């Protein structure tokens, strides 16, 4: 699987966090992976990458949300569109904690995800929030 496809699957898995309690998420991960296996979409190394990155993001979720709260003035996490929030969480993780992904790539991929899964205003919102974070990192 290409990295963009892996990222989309991680996004889809992370999106479930908004609708399931923490105690249900392992079952959700298992269902998600089983569904991918049934459709012949996933190899063992893809499954390991997706579930591993998901776990790493979840471990840092409070930190990621705090970063987002600081960068999105006037937009509390709870008021954000759930798709945009999920995309931003994934992008912040990649920008701040994943040394394999350049910051500009993380931003570009987040904008592409927002074009595919978000609303009309999602790409500009996601880009604006992440641009603020990029400016702070320099």
């Amino acid at each position: 699987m290409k990295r963009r496809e892996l990222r989309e699957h991680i996004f889809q898995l992370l999106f479930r966090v908004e609708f399931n309690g923490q105690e249900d998420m392992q079952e959700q991960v298992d269902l998600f992976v089983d569904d991918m296996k049934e459709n012949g979409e996933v190899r063992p190394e893809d499954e390991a990458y997706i579930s591993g990155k998901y776990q790493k993001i979840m471990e840092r979720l409070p930190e990621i949300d705090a970063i987002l709260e600081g960068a999105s003035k006037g937009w509390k996490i709870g008021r954000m569109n759930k798709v945009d929030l999920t995309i931003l969480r994934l992008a912040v993780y990649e920008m701040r904690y994943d040394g394999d992904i350049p910051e500009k790539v993380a931003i570009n991929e987040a904008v592409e995800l927002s074009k595919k899964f978000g609303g009309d205003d999602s790409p500009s919102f996601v880009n604006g929030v992440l641009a603020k974070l990029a400016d702070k990192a320099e």
Side-chain angles (χ1 to χ4, degrees):
M1 216 178 273
K2 293 181 180 176
R3 193 168 278 200
R4 181 169 280 181
E5 293 171 289
L6 292 168
R7 187 177 282 107
E8 282 186 20
H9 287 300
I10 294 164
F11 160 76
Q12 292 169 349
L13 187 54
L14 278 174
F15 188 68
R16 293 178 181 213
V17 169
E18 294 303 313
F19 304 99
N20 295 281
Q22 189 61 38
E23 65 280 357
D24 299 325
M25 280 311 297
Q26 186 55 53
E27 180 182 5
Q28 288 297 314
V29 171
D30 295 341
L31 289 169
F32 185 81
V33 170
D34 288 346
D35 187 46
M36 287 186 351
K37 286 179 181 177
E38 284 178 18
N39 293 325
E41 293 181 44
V42 68
R43 299 175 308 191
E45 58 270 22
D46 295 336
E47 178 184 344
Y49 182 85
I50 291 166
S51 59
K53 192 163 186 177
Y54 162 79
Q55 283 299 91
K56 290 175 186 173
I57 293 168
M58 290 306 298
E59 289 168 9
R60 295 196 178 263
L61 200 57
E63 294 169 57
I64 291 168
D65 285 351
I67 291 167
L68 286 171
E69 287 275 353
S72 57
K73 300 218 184 310
W75 283 94
K76 297 274 185 211
I77 296 288
R79 286 188 53 221
M80 286 184 193
N81 172 307
K82 300 304 181 197
V83 171
D84 295 348
L85 176 58
T86 303
I87 292 168
L88 288 168
R89 285 172 167 167
L90 176 56
V92 168
Y93 175 82
E94 289 182 341
M95 291 169 69
R96 295 285 170 95
Y97 307 108
D98 191 333
D100 293 338
I101 300 173
E103 189 173 76
K104 289 181 181 181
V105 171
I107 294 170
N108 182 60
E109 291 296 322
V111 171
E112 291 302 315
L113 279 173
S114 68
K115 288 177 184 176
K116 184 171 183 175
F117 295 103
D120 292 341
D121 296 331
S122 293
S124 59
F125 177 72
V126 167
N127 190 54
V129 172
L130 297 177
K132 286 181 186 176
L133 290 173
D135 289 343
K136 288 181 182 179
E138 292 177 356

